[in-house]
Amino acid sequence: MKIVIIGGTGLIGSKTVDRLRKRGHDVLPASPNSGVNTVTGEGLAQALAGAEVVLDLANSPSFEDQAVLDFFGASGRNLLAAGKAAGIRHHIALSVVGTERLQESGYFRGKLLQEKLIRESGLPYTIVHSTQFLEFLPGIAKSATSGETVRLSPAYVQPIASDDVADAMTDVALSPPANGIVEIAGPERVALSELVRRYLRAAGDARSVEVDPEARYFGARLDEKSLVSDANPRLGAITFEQWMSAQRSAA
Ligand SMILES: NC(=O)c1ccc[n+]([C@@H]2O[C@H](COP(=O)([O-])OP(=O)(O)OC[C@H]3O[C@@H](n4cnc5c(N)ncnc54)[C@H](OP(=O)(O)O)[C@@H]3O)[C@@H](O)[C@H]2O)c1
C-alpha cells in the first residue's frame, strides 16, 4: 500500500517511515526538503497520486501565534483538498491531548483549526491526540526559562517517548479510520515542574525549577488535568528513566 508521510523527515515522521517500510509498505516521506510543501501546495498532487493513506506529521517552523494559525490553516486546506482529489482512503493527523482545553495558546488554536478542517473535510480520518513527547522536555524548559530559573506549573503530565508515538502512528496507519480522536500517553503521570526538575538534574543542567500554579504553558493557563487524558489512552512502555539512560548512552 502507498502511504504518504507529510513531515516524514521530522522526529515522529522519520521513525514512522522506518516502521511502515519494515512492514513492507511503499512509503513516501514528503516535506519541503523533498519538494513537497503543504503551505504552498507545491508537489502535493504528485506525492499523493496512487496513495491510500496520508499521515500528517508536519509541524509549524515558527511557534509565533499568527504563524502557527497560518501554517495549520493553509497546510490543512491544501492537504485535504489534494487528498480528496487523489481519493485518499484514510487521513491521519497527530495532535495534542487537551488541545481543546488550551485555547489561550496560539499554538493550540492552530492545532484546533487543523482538527476542525479534518473533521469537516468529509474524508475518512483519525486524529491521534498525544501527550508531550519526552524529546520535547528541553523545549518546554527553554520556553519557561528566565535567567537561571525555569518557572513551571505543577499540573500533571504523562510524557511519551517518540518511539512509542511512532509505534502508535504505525498501527493507526494500518487500521481502519476511527472517524474520531484516539489518545495516546506515556506510562507515568507526574507534575510538569517535577518532571523538568528531574530532567535538568539528569542532564547536568544548573537551572533551578520554581513551582508556580499560575505559570503558563505556551501561553495557556493550566489546571491539574489540562495536559492528561482520562479517555483510556493507549499507553507507551518507555519510562522517563529508561528514556534518559538511552539519551546518555547515545551521547
Ligand atoms: N512536541 C510534542 O510534545 C507533541 C505532542 C503531541 C503532538 N505533537 C505534534 O506532533 C507533530 C509532529 O511533531 P515533530 O516534533 O515530530 O515535528 P518536527 O520534528 O519538528 O518535524 C516537522 C516536520 O514538518 C515538516 N514541515 C515543515 N513545514 C512543512 C511544509 N510547509 N510542508 C510539509 N512539511 C513541512 C518538516 O520538514 P523539513 O524537514 O523538510 O523542514 C519536518 O519533517 C506536530 O504536528 C505536533 O503538533 C507534538
Side-chain angles (χ1 to χ4, degrees):
M1 166 164 79
K2 179 175 173 185
I3 302 172
V4 177
I5 305 198
I6 305 293
T9 52
L11 173 67
I12 306 300
S14 56
K15 293 183 179 212
T16 307
V17 168
D18 290 348
R19 283 160 170 75
L20 285 165
R21 280 187 176 152
K22 281 195 185 118
R23 302 251 199 129
H25 295 284
D26 171 17
V27 184
L28 180 70
S31 74
N33 274 326
S34 60
V36 182
N37 190 323
T38 50
V39 172
T40 63
E42 180 199 351
L44 264 183
Q46 297 89 318
L48 266 52
E52 291 184 41
V53 174
V54 170
L55 279 90
D56 183 2
L57 302 178
N59 206 358
S60 172
S62 162
F63 278 25
E64 189 272 320
D65 285 5
Q66 192 60 43
V68 175
L69 201 62
D70 291 346
F71 177 86
F72 284 113
S75 178
R77 286 185 189 96
N78 288 333
L79 185 54
L80 291 161
K84 274 190 185 173
I88 292 301
R89 298 219 307 240
H90 191 182
H91 179 99
I92 300 161
L94 181 55
S95 191
V96 188
V97 164
T99 290
E100 67 288 352
R101 300 188 285 270
L102 300 166
Q103 291 298 300
E104 286 175 315
S105 157
Y107 185 80
F108 291 100
R109 289 195 292 276
K111 294 301 288 183
L112 197 62
L113 173 60
Q114 179 189 26
E115 295 186 18
K116 178 174 182 286
L117 293 169
I118 294 168
R119 279 196 307 273
E120 293 174 353
S121 69
L123 278 174
Y125 72 94
T126 304
I127 295 169
V128 178
H129 267 187
S130 171
T131 52
Q132 284 61 46
F133 309 154
L134 283 166
E135 286 79 359
F136 193 44
L137 282 174
I140 294 174
K142 186 174 173 204
S143 75
T145 295
S146 172
E148 285 302 297
T149 305
V150 187
R151 208 166 56 85
L152 284 167
S153 159
Y156 287 123
V157 283
Q158 200 162 327
I160 184 167
S162 60
D163 282 317
D164 283 333
V165 179
D167 284 344
M169 298 316 296
T170 301
D171 289 345
V172 169
L174 301 178
S175 302
N179 293 313
I181 293 173
V182 297
E183 298 205 316
I184 63 174
E188 301 169 318
R189 196 173 273 199
V190 58
L192 176 61
S193 47
E194 176 56 24
L195 178 70
V196 171
R197 180 178 288 140
R198 277 189 217 163
Y199 168 73
L200 294 177
R201 197 185 301 136
D205 189 314
R207 283 176 289 174
S208 63
V209 172
E210 183 185 312
V211 183
D212 178 358
E214 296 303 315
R216 304 270 175 140
Y217 180 76
F218 293 94
R221 196 179 296 110
L222 300 178
D223 68 32
E224 202 178 38
K225 291 171 105 180
S226 303
L227 297 175
V228 290
S229 169
D230 279 330
N232 196 21
R234 164 179 165 147
L235 296 184
I238 302 167
T239 64
F240 169 75
E241 291 301 336
Q242 289 168 334
W243 176 80
M244 200 67 224
S245 77
Q247 301 298 110
R248 283 198 210 94
S249 307

